[in-house]
Amino acid sequence: MRVLIVVATAAEAERLQDLPARVVVSGVGPVAAALAAWRSLSSHAVGAPYDLLVSAGIGGAYPSSGLSAGDLAVSSQIIQADLGAQDGPDFLDLGQLGLSVFPNRQSNSPQSSAVFPVWAGAEALAVRSGAAYGPMLTLNTVTGTKARAEELERRYVGALTEGMEGAGVAHAALLAGLPALELRGVSNPVGPRDRTAWQIPAALAATRRGLEALLNIS
C-alpha cells in the first residue's frame, strides 16, 4: 500500500523519515494540510500516486475519552468541528445553514456536513495497534478551557482527540477519490493549557507505533 503521511511540524516528521511511506511537513492547520496533501497528489502527471492519505502527529485527548499521554487514537470519523456559525448560544453546522463543504463525487449531491469518512481498515488497525477508535476533531483554534472542551464533547459525542490538520487531509483525499485516516499520539488533555502536563516524546512514540502497525512493520 502506498501511503502519504502528512504531519504539521518537522519535529513530528523527524521520527518517521525511515518509514516506507512518503512523509510531508505541511505546517499547522487544515488549510496548510490540505494544500500539502494536494500538492503531493498533483505532482504526479498520471494516476493517483497513493492508496491512502494519513494525517498523523500528536494531539490532545478530550476528558471523557479515557485517554492519557502516550496513548494512541485512530479515527472512525474526521470532523471539522468549528466550521459553521454561532447563533447566540447555539452552534449551527453547514447542514443547518443550507450550505455544503464540497460536491460529493460519487452521488453528485452536496455534502453539507464537515464529517469526513475514513479508510475501511481503520477499525482493524485500531485493534491491531491497541489504539482507541472513535471520532477525531479538527479545529483552527486549540481549546483552552474546561467549558469549551465540555461543549465540544456534548456536540460530538465520543470524540477522542483534538488536532488541527486532520480535516484538511481528509478533504483533499475525498476530492481525489482516495481514503483518509487520522492517527494521533496523545500528548496532553484538552482543556486549560498546562504545558507542564504535556508528554511529547511519549506521544511521538505512540504515533510511530500506530504508523508501524499500519505499514506492517514489526
Side-chain angles (χ1 to χ4, degrees):
M1 183 167 60
R2 300 165 300 171
V3 177
L4 173 67
I5 301 168
V6 180
V7 298
T9 67
E12 290 166 310
E14 184 177 359
R15 300 192 181 196
L16 308 176
Q17 295 294 347
D18 62 323
L19 295 178
R22 183 176 182 191
V23 179
V24 172
V25 178
S26 66
V28 175
V31 173
L35 289 172
W38 193 258
R39 181 175 61 185
S40 293
L41 289 169
S42 60
S43 64
H44 291 251
V46 179
Y50 305 106
D51 302 303
L52 176 65
L53 273 60
V54 180
S55 176
I58 66 173
Y62 285 98
S64 297
S65 69
L67 297 174
S68 303
D71 288 339
L72 177 66
V74 170
S75 59
S76 64
Q77 296 176 316
I78 302 172
I79 303 171
Q80 180 69 62
D82 55 2
L83 189 57
Q86 198 71 36
D87 185 7
D90 300 319
F91 176 82
L92 305 178
D93 66 22
L94 296 186
Q96 293 168 301
L97 294 170
L99 301 173
S100 62
V101 182
F102 47 77
N104 185 303
R105 294 179 63 140
Q106 282 71 42
S107 65
N108 294 319
S109 62
Q111 173 152 335
S112 59
S113 174
V115 179
F116 297 89
V118 299
W119 174 54
E123 186 171 8
L125 172 64
V127 172
R128 191 164 70 247
S129 60
Y133 176 69
M136 298 171 73
L137 307 188
T138 300
L139 291 99
N140 285 280
T141 301
V142 172
T143 299
T145 66
K146 182 174 183 287
R148 174 63 168 160
E150 291 173 346
E151 175 193 350
L152 288 164
E153 286 189 306
R154 287 192 298 271
R155 190 187 307 159
Y156 303 107
V157 176
L160 296 180
T161 65
E162 175 175 296
M164 301 180 78
E165 293 78 35
V169 174
H171 198 154
L174 195 55
L175 287 174
L178 296 171
L181 178 72
E182 186 168 2
L183 187 154
R184 291 194 179 273
V186 175
S187 55
N188 59 282
V190 173
R193 289 176 60 75
D194 177 9
R195 293 303 292 265
T196 64
W198 286 40
Q199 297 185 35
I200 292 178
L204 291 171
T207 302
R208 181 177 175 101
R209 174 168 58 86
L211 291 169
E212 287 178 345
L214 171 66
L215 298 166
N216 294 312
I217 300 172
S218 58

